[in-house]
Amino acid sequence: MRLEYFQMIDRVVSLDGDAIVVESRVPEASPVFEGHFPGHPLVPGVLLVETMAQASGWLILGRNNFERMPFLMTVKEAKFRSFVGPDAPLDVTARISHEGSGYTVTEARLTSAGKRIAEAEILLRSMPFPNPELEAAMRANAARIGLPGYAA
């Protein structure tokens, strides 16, 4: 996980039909922790939501074979149950609950060491890639994280 670069996913564990499981490890040190919070470092909740949204996006990219790029549109029913600090292992599961008209809704859940941390309903809109550079970067990231079919 590289918080400063919004690269939240380290590895795809599985991609099976309507669901994906990914892993990440929060870095031990990050400039993010200098301000959130001094002496009590915690991953900001918005970055936990981003992690669930990215897992959902990788699920869609894997299913549609990079035909279209998913963009975050709405986060509903986000709930935080615990805090996440430096060096925490994270497991994220995202499952498609609805697809249609260029939109996909996922139910995402984030856990750490078996403990529920957060969950949310994520709505993404799939659109053509706006430029070849973004598509190339996404394909390179897919290889980096081990998205099936895009091995490094």
Side-chain angles (χ1 to χ4, degrees):
M1 179 180 276
R2 293 176 38 174
L3 296 176
E4 302 80 26
Y5 296 96
F6 280 75
Q7 292 179 347
M8 311 308 281
I9 307 302
D10 290 337
R11 182 174 86 88
V12 174
V13 175
S14 66
L15 174 61
D16 182 22
D18 291 344
I20 192 169
V21 177
V22 301
E23 292 178 335
S24 291
R25 179 166 290 278
V26 176
E28 279 192 49
S30 169
V32 170
F33 297 138
E34 293 172 18
H36 201 273
F37 295 100
H40 186 67
L42 296 174
V43 177
V46 69
L47 294 181
L48 297 176
V49 170
E50 177 67 19
T51 303
M52 292 185 288
Q54 286 188 19
S56 298
W58 287 116
L59 169 59
I60 295 165
L61 282 167
R63 282 176 47 101
N64 77 20
N65 199 31
F66 279 79
E67 290 174 12
R68 297 169 67 83
M69 176 70 187
F71 291 94
L72 179 62
M73 299 301 290
T74 305
V75 177
K76 291 176 65 178
E77 302 295 325
K79 294 181 181 147
F80 301 96
R81 301 183 184 283
S82 190
F83 301 111
V84 175
D87 202 36
L90 301 177
D91 298 300
V92 185
T93 302
R95 181 174 307 283
I96 293 174
S97 61
H98 178 76
E99 271 185 307
S101 301
Y103 291 88
T104 304
V105 178
T106 67
E107 300 294 331
R109 175 176 285 183
L110 190 145
T111 62
S112 181
K115 184 177 180 182
R116 285 174 43 180
I117 301 295
E119 61 236 12
E121 180 180 281
I122 310 283
L123 173 69
L124 299 107
R125 180 176 179 197
S126 294
M127 302 170 62
F129 279 89
N131 59 55
E133 293 82 12
L134 177 58
E135 183 175 358
M138 293 303 294
R139 288 180 183 274
N141 276 327
R144 178 184 61 82
I145 65 173
L147 189 72
Y150 295 90

PDB file of all heavy atoms in Angstrom, residues 84-110:
ATOM      1  N   VAL A  84      -7.547   1.677  12.052  1.00  0.00           N
ATOM      2  CA  VAL A  84      -6.440   0.989  11.402  1.00  0.00           C
ATOM      3  C   VAL A  84      -5.192   1.849  11.571  1.00  0.00           C
ATOM      4  O   VAL A  84      -5.204   3.039  11.246  1.00  0.00           O
ATOM      5  CB  VAL A  84      -6.717   0.773   9.898  1.00  0.00           C
ATOM      6  CG1 VAL A  84      -5.507   0.177   9.203  1.00  0.00           C
ATOM      7  CG2 VAL A  84      -7.942  -0.116   9.714  1.00  0.00           C
ATOM      8  N   GLY A  85      -4.140   1.229  12.087  1.00  0.00           N
ATOM      9  CA  GLY A  85      -2.883   1.934  12.292  1.00  0.00           C
ATOM     10  C   GLY A  85      -1.790   1.425  11.377  1.00  0.00           C
ATOM     11  O   GLY A  85      -2.024   0.572  10.509  1.00  0.00           O
ATOM     12  N   PRO A  86      -0.584   1.924  11.557  1.00  0.00           N
ATOM     13  CA  PRO A  86       0.549   1.502  10.739  1.00  0.00           C
ATOM     14  C   PRO A  86       0.793  -0.001  10.821  1.00  0.00           C
ATOM     15  O   PRO A  86       0.574  -0.624  11.855  1.00  0.00           O
ATOM     16  CB  PRO A  86       1.725   2.270  11.345  1.00  0.00           C
ATOM     17  CG  PRO A  86       1.104   3.454  12.010  1.00  0.00           C
ATOM     18  CD  PRO A  86      -0.226   2.972  12.505  1.00  0.00           C
ATOM     19  N   ASP A  87       1.236  -0.556   9.713  1.00  0.00           N
ATOM     20  CA  ASP A  87       1.644  -1.958   9.578  1.00  0.00           C
ATOM     21  C   ASP A  87       0.490  -2.959   9.719  1.00  0.00           C
ATOM     22  O   ASP A  87       0.711  -4.152   9.875  1.00  0.00           O
ATOM     23  CB  ASP A  87       2.764  -2.306  10.565  1.00  0.00           C
ATOM     24  CG  ASP A  87       3.552  -3.526  10.116  1.00  0.00           C
ATOM     25  OD1 ASP A  87       3.760  -3.693   8.891  1.00  0.00           O
ATOM     26  OD2 ASP A  87       3.949  -4.328  10.979  1.00  0.00           O
ATOM     27  N   ALA A  88      -0.736  -2.492   9.638  1.00  0.00           N
ATOM     28  CA  ALA A  88      -1.885  -3.404   9.753  1.00  0.00           C
ATOM     29  C   ALA A  88      -2.100  -4.158   8.443  1.00  0.00           C
ATOM     30  O   ALA A  88      -2.033  -3.566   7.368  1.00  0.00           O
ATOM     31  CB  ALA A  88      -3.148  -2.625  10.101  1.00  0.00           C
ATOM     32  N   PRO A  89      -2.370  -5.464   8.521  1.00  0.00           N
ATOM     33  CA  PRO A  89      -2.749  -6.207   7.318  1.00  0.00           C
ATOM     34  C   PRO A  89      -4.231  -5.947   7.034  1.00  0.00           C
ATOM     35  O   PRO A  89      -5.055  -5.916   7.953  1.00  0.00           O
ATOM     36  CB  PRO A  89      -2.520  -7.664   7.724  1.00  0.00           C
ATOM     37  CG  PRO A  89      -2.778  -7.663   9.205  1.00  0.00           C
ATOM     38  CD  PRO A  89      -2.316  -6.317   9.702  1.00  0.00           C
ATOM     39  N   LEU A  90      -4.564  -5.739   5.774  1.00  0.00           N
ATOM     40  CA  LEU A  90      -5.949  -5.498   5.385  1.00  0.00           C
ATOM     41  C   LEU A  90      -6.398  -6.517   4.355  1.00  0.00           C
ATOM     42  O   LEU A  90      -5.646  -6.844   3.433  1.00  0.00           O
ATOM     43  CB  LEU A  90      -6.114  -4.093   4.793  1.00  0.00           C
ATOM     44  CG  LEU A  90      -5.730  -2.926   5.681  1.00  0.00           C
ATOM     45  CD1 LEU A  90      -5.885  -1.616   4.919  1.00  0.00           C
ATOM     46  CD2 LEU A  90      -6.557  -2.924   6.952  1.00  0.00           C
ATOM     47  N   ASP A  91      -7.603  -7.006   4.515  1.00  0.00           N
ATOM     48  CA  ASP A  91      -8.251  -7.876   3.538  1.00  0.00           C
ATOM     49  C   ASP A  91      -9.525  -7.173   3.111  1.00  0.00           C
ATOM     50  O   ASP A  91     -10.300  -6.716   3.962  1.00  0.00           O
ATOM     51  CB  ASP A  91      -8.599  -9.232   4.152  1.00  0.00           C
ATOM     52  CG  ASP A  91      -7.351  -9.976   4.600  1.00  0.00           C
ATOM     53  OD1 ASP A  91      -6.498 -10.244   3.745  1.00  0.00           O
ATOM     54  OD2 ASP A  91      -7.247 -10.283   5.800  1.00  0.00           O
ATOM     55  N   VAL A  92      -9.737  -7.078   1.805  1.00  0.00           N
ATOM     56  CA  VAL A  92     -10.926  -6.417   1.286  1.00  0.00           C
ATOM     57  C   VAL A  92     -11.647  -7.372   0.359  1.00  0.00           C
ATOM     58  O   VAL A  92     -11.038  -8.007  -0.504  1.00  0.00           O
ATOM     59  CB  VAL A  92     -10.577  -5.129   0.504  1.00  0.00           C
ATOM     60  CG1 VAL A  92     -11.845  -4.408   0.077  1.00  0.00           C
ATOM     61  CG2 VAL A  92      -9.694  -4.219   1.337  1.00  0.00           C
ATOM     62  N   THR A  93     -12.943  -7.471   0.551  1.00  0.00           N
ATOM     63  CA  THR A  93     -13.808  -8.256  -0.321  1.00  0.00           C
ATOM     64  C   THR A  93     -14.821  -7.312  -0.943  1.00  0.00           C
ATOM     65  O   THR A  93     -15.391  -6.470  -0.245  1.00  0.00           O
ATOM     66  CB  THR A  93     -14.550  -9.348   0.477  1.00  0.00           C
ATOM     67  OG1 THR A  93     -13.592 -10.173   1.119  1.00  0.00           O
ATOM     68  CG2 THR A  93     -15.428 -10.193  -0.431  1.00  0.00           C
ATOM     69  N   ALA A  94     -15.020  -7.437  -2.242  1.00  0.00           N
ATOM     70  CA  ALA A  94     -16.066  -6.683  -2.931  1.00  0.00           C
ATOM     71  C   ALA A  94     -16.867  -7.671  -3.763  1.00  0.00           C
ATOM     72  O   ALA A  94     -16.304  -8.534  -4.439  1.00  0.00           O
ATOM     73  CB  ALA A  94     -15.471  -5.594  -3.812  1.00  0.00           C
ATOM     74  N   ARG A  95     -18.186  -7.533  -3.695  1.00  0.00           N
ATOM     75  CA  ARG A  95     -19.093  -8.431  -4.412  1.00  0.00           C
ATOM     76  C   ARG A  95     -20.121  -7.581  -5.146  1.00  0.00           C
ATOM     77  O   ARG A  95     -20.680  -6.643  -4.587  1.00  0.00           O
ATOM     78  CB  ARG A  95     -19.789  -9.358  -3.431  1.00  0.00           C
ATOM     79  CG  ARG A  95     -20.737 -10.346  -4.073  1.00  0.00           C
ATOM     80  CD  ARG A  95     -21.294 -11.348  -3.067  1.00  0.00           C
ATOM     81  NE  ARG A  95     -20.259 -12.038  -2.292  1.00  0.00           N
ATOM     82  CZ  ARG A  95     -19.503 -13.040  -2.758  1.00  0.00           C
ATOM     83  NH1 ARG A  95     -19.645 -13.455  -3.994  1.00  0.00           N
ATOM     84  NH2 ARG A  95     -18.624 -13.626  -1.983  1.00  0.00           N
ATOM     85  N   ILE A  96     -20.362  -7.918  -6.411  1.00  0.00           N
ATOM     86  CA  ILE A  96     -21.343  -7.189  -7.212  1.00  0.00           C
ATOM     87  C   ILE A  96     -22.739  -7.525  -6.727  1.00  0.00           C
ATOM     88  O   ILE A  96     -23.096  -8.696  -6.598  1.00  0.00           O
ATOM     89  CB  ILE A  96     -21.188  -7.509  -8.707  1.00  0.00           C
ATOM     90  CG1 ILE A  96     -19.857  -6.945  -9.198  1.00  0.00           C
ATOM     91  CG2 ILE A  96     -22.354  -6.952  -9.523  1.00  0.00           C
ATOM     92  CD1 ILE A  96     -19.500  -7.295 -10.618  1.00  0.00           C
ATOM     93  N   SER A  97     -23.504  -6.477  -6.450  1.00  0.00           N
ATOM     94  CA  SER A  97     -24.896  -6.684  -6.052  1.00  0.00           C
ATOM     95  C   SER A  97     -25.868  -6.252  -7.148  1.00  0.00           C
ATOM     96  O   SER A  97     -27.023  -6.676  -7.145  1.00  0.00           O
ATOM     97  CB  SER A  97     -25.205  -5.960  -4.745  1.00  0.00           C
ATOM     98  OG  SER A  97     -25.009  -4.571  -4.876  1.00  0.00           O
ATOM     99  N   HIS A  98     -25.401  -5.415  -8.078  1.00  0.00           N
ATOM    100  CA  HIS A  98     -26.265  -4.992  -9.190  1.00  0.00           C
ATOM    101  C   HIS A  98     -25.401  -4.435 -10.321  1.00  0.00           C
ATOM    102  O   HIS A  98     -24.414  -3.752 -10.070  1.00  0.00           O
ATOM    103  CB  HIS A  98     -27.244  -3.914  -8.719  1.00  0.00           C
ATOM    104  CG  HIS A  98     -28.121  -3.409  -9.817  1.00  0.00           C
ATOM    105  ND1 HIS A  98     -29.184  -4.130 -10.301  1.00  0.00           N
ATOM    106  CD2 HIS A  98     -28.080  -2.262 -10.534  1.00  0.00           C
ATOM    107  CE1 HIS A  98     -29.761  -3.436 -11.273  1.00  0.00           C
ATOM    108  NE2 HIS A  98     -29.113  -2.305 -11.429  1.00  0.00           N
ATOM    109  N   GLU A  99     -25.795  -4.739 -11.558  1.00  0.00           N
ATOM    110  CA  GLU A  99     -25.135  -4.204 -12.747  1.00  0.00           C
ATOM    111  C   GLU A  99     -26.188  -3.787 -13.745  1.00  0.00           C
ATOM    112  O   GLU A  99     -27.204  -4.468 -13.901  1.00  0.00           O
ATOM    113  CB  GLU A  99     -24.269  -5.273 -13.427  1.00  0.00           C
ATOM    114  CG  GLU A  99     -22.870  -5.362 -12.958  1.00  0.00           C
ATOM    115  CD  GLU A  99     -22.067  -6.365 -13.764  1.00  0.00           C
ATOM    116  OE1 GLU A  99     -22.502  -7.524 -13.895  1.00  0.00           O
ATOM    117  OE2 GLU A  99     -21.010  -5.973 -14.253  1.00  0.00           O
ATOM    118  N   GLY A 100     -25.924  -2.693 -14.455  1.00  0.00           N
ATOM    119  CA  GLY A 100     -26.832  -2.297 -15.527  1.00  0.00           C
ATOM    120  C   GLY A 100     -26.640  -0.853 -15.930  1.00  0.00           C
ATOM    121  O   GLY A 100     -26.236  -0.014 -15.129  1.00  0.00           O
ATOM    122  N   SER A 101     -26.878  -0.577 -17.201  1.00  0.00           N
ATOM    123  CA  SER A 101     -26.822   0.780 -17.762  1.00  0.00           C
ATOM    124  C   SER A 101     -25.498   1.484 -17.512  1.00  0.00           C
ATOM    125  O   SER A 101     -25.460   2.698 -17.293  1.00  0.00           O
ATOM    126  CB  SER A 101     -27.970   1.628 -17.226  1.00  0.00           C
ATOM    127  OG  SER A 101     -29.209   1.044 -17.543  1.00  0.00           O
ATOM    128  N   GLY A 102     -24.398   0.735 -17.522  1.00  0.00           N
ATOM    129  CA  GLY A 102     -23.083   1.345 -17.332  1.00  0.00           C
ATOM    130  C   GLY A 102     -22.700   1.574 -15.885  1.00  0.00           C
ATOM    131  O   GLY A 102     -21.666   2.188 -15.608  1.00  0.00           O
ATOM    132  N   TYR A 103     -23.514   1.106 -14.952  1.00  0.00           N
ATOM    133  CA  TYR A 103     -23.237   1.275 -13.533  1.00  0.00           C
ATOM    134  C   TYR A 103     -23.136  -0.089 -12.863  1.00  0.00           C
ATOM    135  O   TYR A 103     -23.799  -1.036 -13.267  1.00  0.00           O
ATOM    136  CB  TYR A 103     -24.353   2.075 -12.845  1.00  0.00           C
ATOM    137  CG  TYR A 103     -24.394   3.513 -13.264  1.00  0.00           C
ATOM    138  CD1 TYR A 103     -25.127   3.911 -14.374  1.00  0.00           C
ATOM    139  CD2 TYR A 103     -23.682   4.474 -12.560  1.00  0.00           C
ATOM    140  CE1 TYR A 103     -25.158   5.246 -14.774  1.00  0.00           C
ATOM    141  CE2 TYR A 103     -23.710   5.807 -12.945  1.00  0.00           C
ATOM    142  CZ  TYR A 103     -24.448   6.183 -14.051  1.00  0.00           C
ATOM    143  OH  TYR A 103     -24.465   7.497 -14.434  1.00  0.00           O
ATOM    144  N   THR A 104     -22.299  -0.144 -11.828  1.00  0.00           N
ATOM    145  CA  THR A 104     -22.171  -1.366 -11.031  1.00  0.00           C
ATOM    146  C   THR A 104     -22.204  -0.981  -9.560  1.00  0.00           C
ATOM    147  O   THR A 104     -21.534  -0.033  -9.142  1.00  0.00           O
ATOM    148  CB  THR A 104     -20.856  -2.100 -11.344  1.00  0.00           C
ATOM    149  OG1 THR A 104     -20.788  -2.380 -12.736  1.00  0.00           O
ATOM    150  CG2 THR A 104     -20.742  -3.395 -10.559  1.00  0.00           C
ATOM    151  N   VAL A 105     -22.975  -1.722  -8.796  1.00  0.00           N
ATOM    152  CA  VAL A 105     -23.035  -1.538  -7.349  1.00  0.00           C
ATOM    153  C   VAL A 105     -22.337  -2.730  -6.709  1.00  0.00           C
ATOM    154  O   VAL A 105     -22.601  -3.881  -7.077  1.00  0.00           O
ATOM    155  CB  VAL A 105     -24.493  -1.461  -6.843  1.00  0.00           C
ATOM    156  CG1 VAL A 105     -24.529  -1.322  -5.324  1.00  0.00           C
ATOM    157  CG2 VAL A 105     -25.234  -0.320  -7.521  1.00  0.00           C
ATOM    158  N   THR A 106     -21.442  -2.438  -5.772  1.00  0.00           N
ATOM    159  CA  THR A 106     -20.780  -3.506  -5.031  1.00  0.00           C
ATOM    160  C   THR A 106     -21.032  -3.331  -3.536  1.00  0.00           C
ATOM    161  O   THR A 106     -21.275  -2.225  -3.054  1.00  0.00           O
ATOM    162  CB  THR A 106     -19.254  -3.531  -5.264  1.00  0.00           C
ATOM    163  OG1 THR A 106     -18.665  -2.362  -4.709  1.00  0.00           O
ATOM    164  CG2 THR A 106     -18.918  -3.652  -6.742  1.00  0.00           C
ATOM    165  N   GLU A 107     -20.960  -4.438  -2.839  1.00  0.00           N
ATOM    166  CA  GLU A 107     -20.943  -4.450  -1.385  1.00  0.00           C
ATOM    167  C   GLU A 107     -19.508  -4.782  -1.006  1.00  0.00           C
ATOM    168  O   GLU A 107     -19.006  -5.849  -1.371  1.00  0.00           O
ATOM    169  CB  GLU A 107     -21.898  -5.509  -0.845  1.00  0.00           C
ATOM    170  CG  GLU A 107     -23.346  -5.327  -1.255  1.00  0.00           C
ATOM    171  CD  GLU A 107     -23.988  -4.079  -0.672  1.00  0.00           C
ATOM    172  OE1 GLU A 107     -23.564  -3.655   0.424  1.00  0.00           O
ATOM    173  OE2 GLU A 107     -24.895  -3.536  -1.319  1.00  0.00           O
ATOM    174  N   ALA A 108     -18.840  -3.868  -0.319  1.00  0.00           N
ATOM    175  CA  ALA A 108     -17.434  -4.055   0.019  1.00  0.00           C
ATOM    176  C   ALA A 108     -17.262  -4.126   1.527  1.00  0.00           C
ATOM    177  O   ALA A 108     -17.987  -3.468   2.283  1.00  0.00           O
ATOM    178  CB  ALA A 108     -16.602  -2.911  -0.558  1.00  0.00           C
ATOM    179  N   ARG A 109     -16.286  -4.919   1.933  1.00  0.00           N
ATOM    180  CA  ARG A 109     -15.993  -5.103   3.360  1.00  0.00           C
ATOM    181  C   ARG A 109     -14.485  -5.144   3.549  1.00  0.00           C
ATOM    182  O   ARG A 109     -13.781  -5.809   2.790  1.00  0.00           O
ATOM    183  CB  ARG A 109     -16.620  -6.383   3.872  1.00  0.00           C
ATOM    184  CG  ARG A 109     -16.243  -6.681   5.324  1.00  0.00           C
ATOM    185  CD  ARG A 109     -16.925  -7.883   5.838  1.00  0.00           C
ATOM    186  NE  ARG A 109     -18.319  -7.494   6.087  1.00  0.00           N
ATOM    187  CZ  ARG A 109     -19.214  -8.295   6.609  1.00  0.00           C
ATOM    188  NH1 ARG A 109     -18.886  -9.530   6.898  1.00  0.00           N
ATOM    189  NH2 ARG A 109     -20.430  -7.881   6.835  1.00  0.00           N
ATOM    190  N   LEU A 110     -14.019  -4.471   4.593  1.00  0.00           N
ATOM    191  CA  LEU A 110     -12.601  -4.430   4.920  1.00  0.00           C
ATOM    192  C   LEU A 110     -12.416  -5.023   6.313  1.00  0.00           C
ATOM    193  O   LEU A 110     -13.137  -4.640   7.253  1.00  0.00           O
ATOM    194  CB  LEU A 110     -12.131  -2.970   4.886  1.00  0.00           C
ATOM    195  CG  LEU A 110     -10.646  -2.718   4.969  1.00  0.00           C
ATOM    196  CD1 LEU A 110     -10.299  -1.507   4.117  1.00  0.00           C
ATOM    197  CD2 LEU A 110     -10.202  -2.508   6.383  1.00  0.00           C
TER     198      LEU A 110
END
